[in-house]
Amino acid sequence: MGRQEIRIFSRVKPTGKEKGIYSIGNEEAGSSFLEVVVPRDLSDGFINNKRESYKFRFQETFDQDVKQETIFDRIAKPVAESVLTGYNGTIFAYGQTGSGKTFTITGGAERFSDRGIIPRTLAYIFEQFGKDSSKVYTLHVSYLEIYNECGYDLLDPKHEASKLEDLPKVTIMEDPDQNIHLKNLSLQQARNEEEALNLLFLGDTNRMIAETPMNQASTRSHCIFTIHITSKEPGSAMVRRSKLHLVDLAGSERVAKSGIGGQLLTEAKYINLSLHYLEQVIIALAEKNRSHIPYRNSMMTSVLRDSLGGNCMTTMIATLSVEKRNIDESISTCRFAQRVALIKNEAILNEEIDPQLMIVHLRKEIQALKDELAMVTGEQRAEELTEEEIVRVEQQVGAFLEDRDPESTLEIGADMRKITYCFAFLKKLLNEQNKEVICASSLGNERPGSSAAQPQEIQKLRDLLQQRDNEINILVSMLKKEKKRTQDRLLEISSPGLNSIPSTLEGRDVISSVEGGFRSLASSGVLDELEIRSREQSFNSFHRITGNDMSVGRQEAFEIFKRDYPDRVSIEDNKRLLKQRFAEAKSLGEEVNKVRTRINQLKGEVEQRRIQRAALGVSGSTDELHQYDRVEEELRLQMEEEKKRYKSLFNHLKNLKTEIEHLQLLLERAKVKLQKDFEVWWSQEAAHAQSKQEVPLRRQSESTSKIHYQIRASRLSDSPIPLTGDSQTDADILAFVRARQNLMQRKGK
């Protein structure tokens, strides 16, 4: 791609006032300028030599009304496209505290349209993955936080930390080629957009945020969200690896202006020091003939070594707060951006050969060269082939003949003894095949319609019938169990004598349910002897049977097994509890949003109260400014109470999240255990049915045929089901009818 300069953009934070301080214009295609006008300060005197306007050039300047979607399309989308093709990319935001860096990179949480560059980039990358089917893509993410010059892994897979100190510390290691490696920084694979966003949200919850006089939710650390992409074409040994750094720098701030102290003061010192080292690196890179670049001064500049003067396409976003009190910091940010624009990076395509495929290819090439060398030298072997070598050659020839791939090859090496034996063996197989064809043609005159493939298909039919017979035996055993369960209910409805049984089966509903049950039973594989014989003679019906899918009979057995499963009650309780916890989490989330809105409202009222007092102090006496304001104090107390409530609700919501994830894990494990237990039970029942299929299966088939005949006869005559007179058969009819009725009722529910 060649050397190219770092692209710089500027974005003005929406303030709603003081728009006369700056102006935006376009000088030529592909660039724009931002002019900042410094308001005159009367305290400096009427005549002073201070500069009143500054003009800076950017690739594009975004005003206050520009939406997040436009920012992504103009800035991040071109970089994401180059990363998909195999180039490294970096996007970082620079500016003072409260100028909108985190909002630009990560986005806001109130509206879906406020998504920042990171979630939109993830959505765009996975969308391109789905469109491009010519390559196989793999995506991993990492999230590094640099707080007080110490690195922390925000995506620790072992646990979710409650404190920053609980997270694993990341250290920098450098190899002899001066490549940077980050120890203890985990790479998490994301298979879809949802998993990637969950990792982003997990990292944001662990990030260090504090309230300062300049910003209510100030990020007190530098964060680098890195997307690693690997692409490979199927069958190719070439692999492309690229990475995209999305950097949210902590905001610079003047300690004298913010008036902070304690821990916030320590954080501000480290932040300003790391940004100072970043500026030193930028100045050194912009200077020509500079031999030493101070990358090692800070951890952030060491991590971003490739992004600043290396193999990377880098883009900078300068965020500006153009209020009168922040005009000096905005001018300083623009000056820094102008120095960054002087740096040139050389991005190259990151392609490499897959080591495993290369090893296999080299081994094949070495063996081929050895065989070719042996053939050229004419090395003769006096000994004959051993029995093992003969068996191996015959197996290779047989596998070659059975392989339907037209591009398959027979690889037996360059040994002339093996080559000669292969030709002799192939000739022998061809002669035997010709003899079989002659015999089949002579037999075909006596028995027309026979073919060489008939025995194989007959064997397949027998195997299929064996499988169906096993299913029939399992269903029959289950029907006997259902008969025992429904016998007590039956005695309550009907009289003890067998002659009164037909009266309980009168009515169209019972007959229709029985007919439906027999239709379902027939579709699941319970066929009479005539149908079995017809299946042995029909090859077309065999090809329509899908033995790999779960049959209807097996599905019905699974439903009954699930109903009697010992852990069914606990599974249902966990489902009900999970639903309840979801409802509680939703209610808590709404309550948290309401409390946060109330806090912002109270804060606005306090600010408004202060502005009013300041205005009264200007117009009246200065004593009013120092008087005790009871209303303001009450508002501050209310705000403190709301903050405590917000923290309590947020902790409760976090605990609910942990409980929901635990319940989901329990349900998933129960589902897997249920499937495994059913497979074990089904295999045991099938083995038991197969061992006793000869005599009991014939009896059961005759009994089933009698039941089938009785049901169909009653349907044609539109009368109650007549019984056979055999007490065992009549009891089976009644038990089967009741079992099918119960099963149909459960399915209806």
Side-chain angles (χ1 to χ4, degrees), residues 387-643:
E387 293 294 330
E388 295 180 356
E389 292 177 339
I390 292 174
V391 172
R392 190 181 303 111
V393 170
E394 290 179 356
Q395 290 177 353
Q396 290 178 349
V397 173
F400 172 72
L401 294 177
E402 293 177 359
D403 193 356
R404 301 300 181 185
D405 187 6
E407 297 180 359
S408 62
T409 57
L410 178 59
E411 298 178 355
I412 58 173
D415 193 349
M416 292 302 300
R417 301 172 303 157
K418 295 182 180 179
I419 295 174
T420 304
Y421 184 82
C422 282
F423 280 107
F425 185 69
L426 287 172
K427 184 177 180 180
K428 178 182 177 182
L429 292 178
L430 183 61
N431 293 333
E432 291 177 357
Q433 186 177 4
N434 291 333
K435 291 180 181 179
E436 291 178 0
V437 171
I438 293 172
C439 294
S441 61
S442 62
L443 293 175
N445 296 328
E446 299 177 359
R447 292 182 298 175
S450 63
S451 62
Q454 185 175 1
Q456 297 179 358
E457 295 189 0
I458 290 176
Q459 184 62 33
K460 291 181 180 179
L461 280 171
R462 288 175 179 173
D463 294 340
L464 181 64
L465 290 173
Q466 182 68 33
Q467 179 183 357
R468 296 304 185 190
D469 291 342
N470 293 337
E471 293 184 0
I472 292 172
N473 294 333
I474 294 173
L475 288 173
V476 169
S477 62
M478 293 178 66
L479 287 175
K480 288 182 178 180
K481 294 179 181 179
E482 290 290 336
K483 179 184 68 175
K484 294 178 181 179
R485 294 181 180 178
T486 56
Q487 189 172 7
D488 295 336
R489 298 182 182 177
L490 216 75
L491 293 176
E492 296 177 358
I493 299 174
S494 60
S495 61
L498 185 61
N499 296 329
S500 60
I501 290 177
S503 62
T504 63
L505 301 177
E506 293 181 357
R508 303 286 296 178
D509 297 336
V510 176
I511 294 175
S512 61
S513 64
V514 174
E515 292 173 354
F518 267 96
R519 285 196 296 270
S520 175
L521 194 62
S523 64
S524 65
V526 181
L527 305 172
D528 55 13
E529 295 180 359
L530 294 176
E531 289 177 341
I532 293 176
R533 292 172 184 172
S534 64
R535 285 178 181 272
E536 291 182 355
Q537 299 176 358
S538 175
F539 299 128
N540 297 328
S541 62
F542 166 75
H543 293 291
R544 291 194 296 267
I545 297 174
T546 57
N548 294 329
D549 299 332
M550 182 182 286
S551 61
V552 179
R554 189 170 179 176
Q555 292 176 359
E556 294 178 354
F558 180 73
E559 293 295 331
I560 297 176
F561 178 82
K562 185 168 62 175
R563 184 198 63 186
D564 300 333
Y565 192 61
D567 297 338
R568 181 179 62 86
V569 178
S570 61
I571 293 174
E572 295 296 332
D573 292 340
N574 287 337
K575 286 183 179 179
R576 184 168 57 256
L577 185 59
L578 180 61
K579 185 177 180 180
Q580 181 181 357
R581 291 296 180 265
F582 270 125
E584 293 179 3
K586 181 178 179 182
S587 177
L588 273 177
E590 295 175 354
E591 189 67 23
V592 166
N593 291 333
K594 292 180 180 179
V595 173
R596 183 171 55 186
T597 304
R598 176 60 179 166
I599 292 173
N600 294 333
Q601 181 182 358
L602 291 172
K603 187 175 181 180
E605 293 179 2
V606 170
E607 293 294 334
Q608 188 67 25
R609 188 74 181 178
R610 291 179 179 177
I611 293 173
Q612 292 177 0
R613 292 183 61 193
L616 291 176
V618 172
S619 60
S621 60
T622 57
D623 296 336
E624 297 181 359
L625 292 174
H626 303 287
Q627 291 180 358
Y628 175 74
D629 191 351
R630 181 178 300 174
V631 176
E632 180 180 348
E633 185 64 23
E634 291 179 355
L635 291 174
R636 290 179 61 85
L637 291 176
Q638 292 179 12
M639 190 163 55
E640 292 297 330
E641 292 295 330
E642 293 294 335
K643 286 183 179 180

Side-chain angles (χ1 to χ4, degrees), residues 284 287-294:
E287 293 178 0
K288 296 182 179 180
N289 302 325
R290 183 71 177 263
S291 59
H292 174 67
I293 308 298

Side-chain angles (χ1 to χ4, degrees), residues 267-309:
E267 294 171 355
K269 289 180 180 179
Y270 278 104
I271 292 170
N272 293 337
L273 184 62
S274 62
L275 294 177
H276 170 67
Y277 288 141
L278 175 62
E279 187 173 6
Q280 283 186 348
V281 171
I282 298 299
I283 294 173
L285 290 170
E287 293 178 0
K288 296 182 179 180
N289 302 325
R290 183 71 177 263
S291 59
H292 174 67
I293 308 298
Y295 289 115
R296 294 188 180 91
N297 285 350
S298 69
M299 185 175 186
M300 182 181 62
T301 54
S302 298
V303 174
L304 299 179
R305 174 181 292 185
D306 288 338
S307 303
L308 305 171

Side-chain angles (χ1 to χ4, degrees), residues 2-21:
R3 296 182 64 85
Q4 59 179 1
E5 298 177 351
I6 296 179
R7 296 169 57 85
I8 59 173
F9 298 84
S10 62
R11 185 182 189 184
V12 180
K13 177 184 177 181
T15 57
K17 56 183 178 179
E18 299 179 357
K19 289 190 176 182
I21 295 178

